[in-house]
Amino acid sequence: MKKTIALFLTLTFCLLGCFSLIGCQKKMKEGTIRLNETTHSVFYAPLYVANYLGYFSDYGLTIEFTNGGGSDNSMTALISGGADIALLGPETAVYVKTQGSSNGAVIVGQLTQRDGSFLIGRKAEPNFKWADLRGKEIIGGRKSGMPAMCLEYAINKNGLKNGKDLTINYDVSFDMITSAFESGIGDYCTMFEPSASQYESLGKGHIVASVGKETGNVAYTCFMVTQKYLTNNRERVTDFMKAVIKGINYCFTHTPEEIAEVIQPGFSTTDAELLVRSVKHYMEIEAWKTVPTMTEDSFDSLQNILLAAGSIGKKVGYGADIVDNSIVEEIIAGQL
């Protein structure tokens, strides 16, 4: 595990110069924020609502989306200058912090508070119990990534151990899980929405459980910037979070049907009914934060999961150099 984390960090810092050069060569339009999201999912509906309802443009911002295909790639893009803001798992900020980076990632807002993946089986299991995974193989994604660690945490919570009672396959990258499962690998896998509902509608698999519902609240997907970017662009980050908060408020005051209609342009290949179903799934598990601050308790819960997975040897401190709630707190207080 530690070798995996070390490799991730080594690749991240080695790519720093390459991405920075690319970023310098590309002239950005005034007001543009390059946002790298770890994946494109209904899980992040409040962000897309803010985009499609024009909340960002209200502040003179244009969001340029790119898909990282995993939090490790999104973090690489962020600290190397290939992205201004990243939406990814906070575990990567902990990893970078342990390496003592002088331009580490700062968490400025938390969007989701539960794991957004659903456990997919090859047959319908209306009476599924986690004990049913005994003797099975589950494709879990990258070993040091939050989806895989939350899956293992949920499994451990139910008295099962990887390598003893079942096998978690960590060899398939996050963005290749669906295709690997479809090729016949594993008895179960995890998917985010709308992929889970799409897969089920095609009769290729069945949603049997929510990982997030099983693990409970934890610091999950968050918005990060580098210390340098925050110092030089605090007003822009503030406007960005104002728009995100408007998107969150919309999602808590509107129906799944209304939310799905707003974000439909971002999921043009997804059937409208399935998109509504996906939104409902995330509302049912209370996936989104009502106020996008990261509490010390949720950050501690995150690190408990990292410790249990063997991803870190000890916890890092909770503070403004890694979690900075000041912008969101000032917005909520009406000071900005």
Side-chain angles (χ1 to χ4, degrees), residues 204-256:
K204 297 180 178 180
H206 299 269
I207 298 173
V208 299
S210 161
V211 177
K213 185 175 181 180
E214 191 67 19
T215 57
N217 288 357
V218 64
Y220 207 77
T221 330
C222 60
F223 295 105
M224 294 189 208
V225 297
T226 62
Q227 291 277 7
K228 181 179 180 180
Y229 187 84
L230 182 59
T231 299
N232 296 334
N233 300 276
R234 187 176 180 85
E235 183 176 350
R236 182 170 292 190
V237 175
T238 297
D239 288 340
F240 175 86
M241 289 308 304
K242 283 180 180 178
V244 168
I245 289 172
K246 286 185 177 181
I248 291 172
N249 291 340
Y250 182 96
C251 288
F252 278 99
T253 55
H254 290 75
T255 66

Side-chain angles (χ1 to χ4, degrees), residues 8-136:
F8 155 62
L9 290 165
T10 299
L11 290 173
T12 295
F13 291 117
C14 284
L15 287 171
L16 178 67
C18 178
F19 274 96
S20 296
L21 180 59
I22 294 172
C24 290
Q25 290 175 336
K26 184 175 180 180
K27 184 177 178 62
M28 300 303 298
K29 178 182 177 182
E30 182 66 27
T32 296
I33 288 180
R34 300 168 300 162
L35 175 64
N36 188 295
E37 53 181 353
T38 185
T39 189
H40 188 64
S41 169
V42 178
F43 193 35
Y44 311 136
L47 170 66
Y48 307 138
V49 165
N51 187 50
Y52 290 117
L53 288 183
Y55 296 154
F56 290 116
S57 60
D58 288 344
Y59 296 101
L61 300 177
T62 299
I63 307 301
E64 183 182 280
F65 288 89
T66 54
N67 190 326
S71 288
D72 51 345
N73 297 328
S74 294
M75 177 59 81
T76 297
L78 180 67
I79 67 173
S80 63
D84 302 315
I85 299 177
L87 176 63
L88 69 169
E91 78 283 358
T92 52
V94 176
Y95 300 155
V96 172
K97 175 67 175 179
T98 61
Q99 295 298 303
S101 172
S102 60
N103 187 33
V106 184
I107 297 165
V108 293
Q110 182 183 331
L111 185 62
T112 63
Q113 62 182 2
R114 290 193 171 187
D115 183 276
S117 57
F118 294 87
L119 188 66
I120 309 296
R122 296 194 180 278
K123 61 182 181 179
E125 299 181 61
N127 299 313
F128 172 83
K129 300 181 293 296
W130 286 87
D132 296 336
L133 296 178
R134 189 177 299 276
K136 305 298 184 181

Side-chain angles (χ1 to χ4, degrees), residues 313-327:
K314 62 179 181 179
K315 295 182 180 181
V316 301
Y318 171 91
D321 61 335
I322 192 167
V323 180
D324 189 343
N325 290 318
S326 62
I327 287 177

Side-chain angles (χ1 to χ4, degrees), residues 132-333:
D132 296 336
L133 296 178
R134 189 177 299 276
K136 305 298 184 181
E137 178 185 1
I138 307 100
I139 304 177
R142 181 172 57 87
K143 189 171 179 62
S144 58
M146 279 301 290
M149 290 187 291
C150 283
L151 171 64
E152 185 170 3
Y153 191 83
I155 287 171
N156 292 345
K157 180 181 175 182
N158 285 276
L160 302 176
K161 294 293 182 182
N162 178 40
K164 176 183 177 183
D165 303 302
L166 50 80
T167 301
I168 301 177
N169 184 335
Y170 296 115
D171 296 332
V172 180
S173 63
F174 178 81
D175 55 342
M176 296 300 292
I177 289 177
T178 301
S179 58
F181 188 65
E182 190 168 348
S183 73
I185 298 174
D187 301 296
Y188 295 86
C189 73
T190 56
M191 295 183 193
F192 280 69
E193 291 285 16
S195 297
S197 289
Q198 283 180 315
Y199 203 76
E200 187 173 54
S201 72
L202 294 172
K204 297 180 178 180
H206 299 269
I207 298 173
V208 299
S210 161
V211 177
K213 185 175 181 180
E214 191 67 19
T215 57
N217 288 357
V218 64
Y220 207 77
T221 330
C222 60
F223 295 105
M224 294 189 208
V225 297
T226 62
Q227 291 277 7
K228 181 179 180 180
Y229 187 84
L230 182 59
T231 299
N232 296 334
N233 300 276
R234 187 176 180 85
E235 183 176 350
R236 182 170 292 190
V237 175
T238 297
D239 288 340
F240 175 86
M241 289 308 304
K242 283 180 180 178
V244 168
I245 289 172
K246 286 185 177 181
I248 291 172
N249 291 340
Y250 182 96
C251 288
F252 278 99
T253 55
H254 290 75
T255 66
E257 289 78 10
E258 291 170 322
I259 296 168
E261 183 177 1
V262 171
I263 68 174
Q264 182 73 58
F267 300 90
S268 58
T269 61
T270 303
D271 178 79
E273 184 178 336
L274 291 181
L275 197 56
V276 171
R277 187 188 307 177
S278 299
V279 173
K280 284 182 178 178
H281 283 165
Y282 284 129
M283 296 180 82
E284 287 169 356
I285 68 168
E286 300 179 343
W288 307 316
K289 290 273 291 183
T290 53
V291 177
T293 51
M294 183 174 290
T295 66
E296 187 168 1
D297 284 344
S298 66
F299 187 70
D300 189 61
S301 295
L302 161 71
Q303 295 199 83
N304 286 336
I305 291 176
L306 300 185
L307 284 170
S311 295
I312 58 174
K314 62 179 181 179
K315 295 182 180 181
V316 301
Y318 171 91
D321 61 335
I322 192 167
V323 180
D324 189 343
N325 290 318
S326 62
I327 287 177
V328 172
E329 289 173 345
E330 290 170 7
I331 292 172
I332 297 302

